[in-house]
């Protein structure tokens, strides 16, 4: 297993905000799969969904984490919310390093995403119903793919990051030094 830290979880659970802070704290490089896909294609995620379709986007996600697997260590990687749903992706993440599920309740997600039009899967219709259904379906897969489940509801960044770094240092670092 490589010694990267990988953040998984639902849209709006705080993967980017937490990831950037951990990277800064550890002196690691920060990578974000959505951002990498936008850079590589020159297209926004919502345009990729509308012009090329979801399967095309999912293939790009798999390609992106394969590329990251070739890059080595000392990265904090924030992943798109649907990425661990593909079994082959979950296996690649497991090899990439310490996988952390940032767990957030439906109401927290809804509050964080209110007014955000950048998530194609939540566009149109009843957001509460969509988030509820997708979260119920995905939760077991997030939990199965993770080495650590970090609760985010009602906690500060310091608390969440402290828990992740402590566990990472106990579980991963001694094996890699
Ligand atoms: C998605 C989550 C988004 C982005 C795309 C699909 C999903 O990333 O990859 O809109 O399937 O949950 P964030 O989790 O960073 O919002």
């Amino acid at each position: 297993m490589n010694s990267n830290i990988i953040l998984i979880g639902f849209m709006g659970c705080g993967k980017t905000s937490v990831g950037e802070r951990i990277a800064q704290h550890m002196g690691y490089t920060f990578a974000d799969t959505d951002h990498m896909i936008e850079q590589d294609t020159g297209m926004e995620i919502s345009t990729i969904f509308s012009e090329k379709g979801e399967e095309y986007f999912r293939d790009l996600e798999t390609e992106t984490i394969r590329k990251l697997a070739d890059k080595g260590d000392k990265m904090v990687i924030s992943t798109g919310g649907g990425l661990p749903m593909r079994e082959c992706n979950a296996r690649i993440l497991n090899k990439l390093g310490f996988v952390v599920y940032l767990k957030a309740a439906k109401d927290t997600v809804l509050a964080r995403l209110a007014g955000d039009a950048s998530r194609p899967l939540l566009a149109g219709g009843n957001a509460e119903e969509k988030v509820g259904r997708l979260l119920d379906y995905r939760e077991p897969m997030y939990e199965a793919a993770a080495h650590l489940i970090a609760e985010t509801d009602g906690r500060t960044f310091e608390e969440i990051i402290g828990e992740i770094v402590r566990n990472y240092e106990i579980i991963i670092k001694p094996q890699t030094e």
Side-chain angles (χ1 to χ4, degrees):
M1 187 203 278
N2 284 350
S3 66
N4 303 298
I5 298 176
I6 300 104
L7 302 178
I8 63 170
F10 204 76
M11 295 167 258
C13 72
K15 288 165 293 189
T16 304
S17 318
V18 170
E20 283 176 345
R21 286 170 172 80
I22 298 179
Q24 198 179 14
H25 176 86
M26 308 283 292
Y28 283 13
T29 309
F30 178 72
D32 178 311
T33 59
D34 284 343
H35 185 67
M36 288 175 73
I37 290 170
E38 290 187 329
Q39 293 264 301
D40 288 350
T41 59
M43 292 166 90
E44 286 186 2
I45 304 288
S46 53
T47 312
I48 301 175
F49 267 75
S50 61
E51 290 189 3
K52 306 273 189 180
E54 182 171 350
E55 272 313 290
Y56 182 86
F57 174 73
R58 299 299 173 200
D59 289 341
L60 292 175
E61 287 191 311
T62 302
E63 217 177 276
T64 302
I65 50 168
R66 287 212 174 107
K67 267 191 228 158
L68 284 169
D70 291 336
K71 282 199 173 173
D73 283 312
K74 300 203 169 177
M75 291 182 284
V76 179
I77 302 165
S78 166
T79 58
L83 189 145
M85 300 303 117
R86 270 196 183 175
E87 208 186 317
C88 68
N89 290 353
R91 257 184 277 124
I92 298 170
L93 294 184
N94 190 60
K95 283 197 199 122
L96 264 173
F98 187 55
V99 182
V100 180
Y101 169 31
L102 290 184
K103 188 168 179 167
K106 184 177 92 175
D107 288 347
T108 311
V109 168
L110 283 168
R112 288 198 191 134
L113 296 181
D116 183 329
S118 69
R119 266 82 171 193
L121 289 182
L122 303 181
N126 182 334
E128 186 170 351
E129 200 216 318
K130 282 187 174 175
V131 168
R133 208 165 357 99
L134 209 49
L135 197 52
D136 283 349
Y137 171 73
R138 287 181 173 182
E139 196 122 84
M141 286 178 261
Y142 288 135
E143 295 194 351
H147 299 112
L148 174 74
I149 299 170
E151 297 282 350
T152 63
D153 298 314
R155 297 178 80 196
T156 63
F157 279 126
E158 286 69 27
E159 287 168 334
I160 299 166
I161 290 163
E163 182 188 8
I164 294 170
V165 171
R166 259 193 322 277
N167 280 278
Y168 170 76
E169 287 181 341
I170 293 167
I171 296 167
I172 302 289
K173 256 193 148 176
Q175 299 174 12
T176 54
E177 276 171 357

